[in-house]
Amino acid sequence: MESYETLLVHEEDGVQEIRMNRPQVLNALNRTLKLELQAAVKSAGRRADVRVVLLSAEGRGFCSGQDLNDEETDGRRSIGESLRTLYNPLVEAMLGMPKPIVAQVQGVAAGAGMSLALAADMRLAGESARFVAAFSRIGLVPDSGLSYMLPRLVGLGRAMEMAMLAEPIEAPEALAIGLCNHVYPDEELAGAAWAFCRRLADGPARALGLTKKALQRGVELPMREALQYEAALQELAGHAGEYVEGVAAFKEKRRPVYRSKV
Ligand code: T3D
């Protein structure tokens, strides 16, 4: 396994935890962290034995977004270039990976840190979690996929308000509006996240990868194309051993055992 300067990586039972490790700045994204996240996520995507990725963070915050001390902020630097080379490939790797990614969010997820949480497939939050679309606070616009993911998760009007006023959305509200999937007491969050990921890792990895694709495309396609796309994916799933095992387990009244890799 690779070693990193700004990440801690740990694997067990088909789950790979990628933990951001710059707690002193609430895991602000400096160049090294962005490059290492990109490398780690791509590597997890390629590894057949990694069935689920857990994106987590060290310390009291999940991620405070772009490290404001790491780059010039005098208005002359090309932020577009920074997004195209450092942030967008990471977000694309997360969305394109045919495996579930779960974000474990405690404390603040701000700016591009919120975008990363939203690029995960599911979000488990601690009671301390707060999501802040901080971009407008410093005169920027939503980036790193936030403008794409946020309206899909919470609806256009709500997303507009969050992006323009940049007020923190606390855990109970985040749960109520679908910004996170579950909220746990902070001290139980890590255990709950691992249990959640282990359940996913016990599932039919190939079918879950296709499910991710189906739902991502389902929110974009016209109804007829969505039906066609489902049929095409189901054709793939139906010819894989997971389906045979799933039905056999049902008939034999036992739990299915899925060993397929992705
Ligand atoms: O290339 C590009 O620029 C691409 C663009 C990327 C898009 C973005 O992500 S834009 C958004 C950038 N992020 C922000 O604007 C957030 C800035 N931070 C904050 O507003 C607050 O720190 C938080 C709301 C996130 C948390 O507040 P709080 O009170 O819980 O903590 P704090 O005391 O402000 O922060 C703790 C430390 O972390 C502090 O350092 P210190 O004083 O203890 O030495 C603070 O300076 C540092 N810190 C927090 N956020 C960042 C940071 N240092 C660098 N960059 C940060 N983003």
Side-chain angles (χ1 to χ4, degrees):
M1 203 167 19
E2 297 89 343
S3 73
Y4 299 100
E5 190 184 314
T6 58
L7 295 176
L8 302 170
V9 178
H10 169 72
E11 280 175 34
E12 230 176 280
D13 302 332
V15 178
Q16 184 181 86
E17 177 172 2
I18 301 175
R19 176 172 282 256
M20 294 178 275
N21 189 25
R22 302 190 72 222
Q24 65 285 3
V25 286
L26 306 175
N27 300 298
L29 294 150
N30 67 357
R31 186 178 176 81
T32 308
L33 178 53
K34 284 178 274 190
L35 287 170
E36 290 191 342
L37 273 173
Q38 207 185 113
V41 167
K42 286 180 178 171
S43 160
R46 284 191 299 268
R47 289 261 310 277
D49 54 334
V50 173
R51 297 164 76 88
V52 177
V53 172
L54 174 60
L55 178 63
S56 67
E58 193 67 20
R60 72 172 172 91
F62 177 73
C63 177
S64 58
Q66 168 66 27
D67 187 325
L68 298 174
N69 296 317
D70 193 48
E71 301 276 7
E72 296 302 326
T73 49
D74 59 7
R76 287 185 300 191
R77 171 176 68 98
S78 168
I79 302 184
E81 191 56 18
S82 154
L83 291 170
R84 282 187 284 274
T85 56
L86 296 169
Y87 284 96
N88 294 358
L90 169 59
V91 170
E92 283 181 43
M94 291 174 71
L95 295 174
M97 183 193 294
K99 324 180 177 193
I101 305 184
V102 175
Q104 175 188 319
V105 182
Q106 78 283 354
V108 74
M114 177 170 167
S115 307
L116 290 190
L118 301 194
D121 302 306
M122 289 159 273
R123 281 149 294 285
L124 307 182
E127 282 171 344
S128 64
R130 60 196 157 113
F131 296 85
V132 194
F135 307 90
S136 66
R137 287 189 183 178
I138 56 167
L140 291 180
V141 301
D143 66 27
S144 310
L146 192 121
S147 65
Y148 177 87
M149 295 304 304
L150 190 59
R152 282 172 167 75
L153 283 168
V154 304
L156 191 54
R158 197 62 229 234
M160 244 0 139
E161 181 180 334
M162 287 171 69
M164 289 188 179
L165 292 183
E167 300 215 324
I169 305 295
E170 311 279 341
E173 190 182 356
L175 184 63
I177 64 175
L179 203 52
C180 66
N181 296 66
H182 300 281
V183 176
Y184 304 93
D186 280 338
E187 62 279 10
E188 292 171 22
L189 177 62
W194 267 89
F196 191 87
C197 288
R198 281 197 174 94
R199 278 180 62 199
L200 289 167
D202 280 344
R206 195 171 145 79
L208 298 191
L210 295 175
T211 299
K212 177 167 171 171
K213 281 187 172 194
L215 297 185
Q216 284 176 338
R217 294 292 301 280
V219 291
E220 286 171 357
L221 292 173
M223 186 265 283
R224 286 237 155 84
E225 285 175 46
L227 290 174
Q228 291 296 335
Y229 192 60
E230 279 181 353
L233 293 182
Q234 203 65 296
E235 188 70 26
L236 293 174
H239 287 300
E242 291 173 342
Y243 170 59
V244 176
E245 164 61 9
V247 175
F250 171 76
K251 290 182 179 169
E252 292 160 21
K253 299 190 186 304
R254 61 173 173 82
R255 283 168 60 89
V257 179
Y258 295 112
R259 299 194 196 286
S260 47
K261 299 194 165 175
V262 279

